[in-house]
Amino acid sequence: MKLAICTDVFAELSYPDMLDKVKSLGIDAVEMTAGGWGARKHCNTSELLSSREKREAFLAELEKRGMRISALNTSCNPTWPSETGKEYARSMYDCAELAGKLGVKKIVAMAGLPAGAPGDTTPNWITSTVSWPDFMAPAYEYQWEVTIAFWKEFAKHCQKCGVEQIAIEEFPGTMVWSASTLLKLREAVGDIIGINLDPSHMMILGADPIAAARALKGCIYHVHGKDARIERGLADVDGLLEPRPVTDSAERVWNYVAVGCGKDLQWWKEFFSVVHMLGYDGDVSLEMEDLTMTVDAGVNTSIDALRQTISQ
């Protein structure tokens, strides 16, 4: 495995300055947002699609530093029945087209979250049993119909563009938030669909990412190096579902934290050992979203932990 980084953490830097910053950290691979709701500061998708010369100059900046693109990220909610949802979907299609033109074979995305019924406009994440009330089961079935229909069409587009892997990030508040929901989508759409295994999202729901990785053997297409911490005492009172803003770190029952500040290094060594044992030998892309410390502290802490634990 090799270390990469999600570059939105350096969104304030220009593209060349961001590459220099990443290179100074000893990292040679970057995951950049090229669609969806990410910053998209380093990869101007519409500009790059419009000009072969600009694409060549874009790639030249990577090549002269000995760097490469790990994946293009287009995470968002393309199944939201709204103009914004349509814009997200268009950005995903553009991201796949750009990936093809840049020779990038993998994109990272999220499954999206539809509304609960035709005519509704508010996405609904159904987390309770569908047994009661009785309208829950039809709503859940409808959401899966919408989700599968979108991904079947988008997968065809990706294949035409030359994209070989779509790594779906399992994310709370979307239709794919667990190992079993990823496998459900993969079974319906095909093996172009795999998982971007982000252990932090499993941790905050009480799942074991190591056990989940075993269930996902052959389906792991990308890995995010990201940690989470269940805050002592608070989760015992309110459980793990947390609607508070991420900026309310001191009050939340869980927080995203720098790698090693949630699970210890022994846990991370086992996680990467198992993932590697199951056949994954790709990039581990650091996604730093720790709001309890500065960006530089979070990045450096995470890099130090990942270098000690990834299976190289």
Side-chain angles (χ1 to χ4, degrees), residues 72 94-107 161 163:
L72 292 182
D94 288 346
C95 175
E97 184 179 350
L98 179 61
K101 291 183 181 297
L102 294 176
V104 177
K105 301 300 182 182
K106 177 170 60 180
I107 63 173
C161 293
V163 172

Side-chain angles (χ1 to χ4, degrees), residues 210 212-220 273-280:
I210 296 173
R214 290 181 180 275
L216 291 162
K217 181 180 180 180
C219 309
I220 302 172
S273 175
V274 169
V275 169
H276 185 264
M277 179 178 68
L278 295 171
Y280 183 77

Side-chain angles (χ1 to χ4, degrees), residues 50-242:
S50 68
S51 169
R52 179 176 178 178
E53 290 74 18
K54 289 181 178 179
R55 292 194 298 274
E56 290 175 347
F58 178 81
L59 291 173
E61 292 291 336
L62 288 160
E63 291 166 2
K64 71 183 183 182
R65 294 171 175 83
M67 299 178 72
R68 61 186 173 82
I69 298 173
S70 171
L72 292 182
N73 191 307
T74 182
S75 296
C76 59
N77 184 5
T79 58
W80 180 11
S82 66
E83 287 304 314
T84 302
K86 292 177 183 178
E87 290 174 9
Y88 285 153
R90 285 192 292 269
S91 78
M92 290 177 65
Y93 275 75
D94 288 346
C95 175
E97 184 179 350
L98 179 61
K101 291 183 181 297
L102 294 176
V104 177
K105 301 300 182 182
K106 177 170 60 180
I107 63 173
V108 176
M110 291 179 185
L113 182 67
D120 286 357
T121 58
T122 303
N124 288 275
W125 189 38
I126 298 174
T127 58
S128 63
T129 175
V130 296
S131 299
W132 181 89
D134 57 6
F135 61 78
M136 297 292 270
Y140 192 61
E141 291 171 5
Y142 169 77
Q143 287 182 308
W144 270 111
E145 290 172 4
V146 172
T147 300
I148 289 169
F150 172 84
W151 282 99
K152 281 184 174 180
E153 288 303 312
F154 183 63
K156 291 177 185 177
H157 174 72
C158 287
Q159 288 170 324
K160 289 178 182 177
C161 293
V163 172
E164 296 175 356
Q165 295 182 327
I166 305 171
I168 303 288
E169 185 170 339
E170 88 295 347
F171 187 71
T174 71
M175 295 302 290
V176 171
W177 52 269
S178 64
S180 62
T181 51
L182 183 282
L183 293 172
K184 181 180 178 75
L185 185 63
R186 178 181 168 93
E187 181 179 3
V189 177
D191 61 9
I192 190 173
I193 299 289
I195 195 166
N196 169 33
L197 182 56
D198 186 321
S200 70
H201 298 151
M202 294 181 170
M203 295 172 192
I204 64 176
L205 293 177
D208 179 354
I210 296 173
R214 290 181 180 275
L216 291 162
K217 181 180 180 180
C219 309
I220 302 172
Y221 289 174
H222 198 63
V223 173
H224 270 177
K226 187 170 149 199
D227 206 347
R229 183 173 63 232
I230 308 301
E231 302 295 359
R232 298 185 184 189
L234 299 181
D236 297 328
V237 175
D238 284 338
L240 296 178
L241 294 180
E242 179 53 272

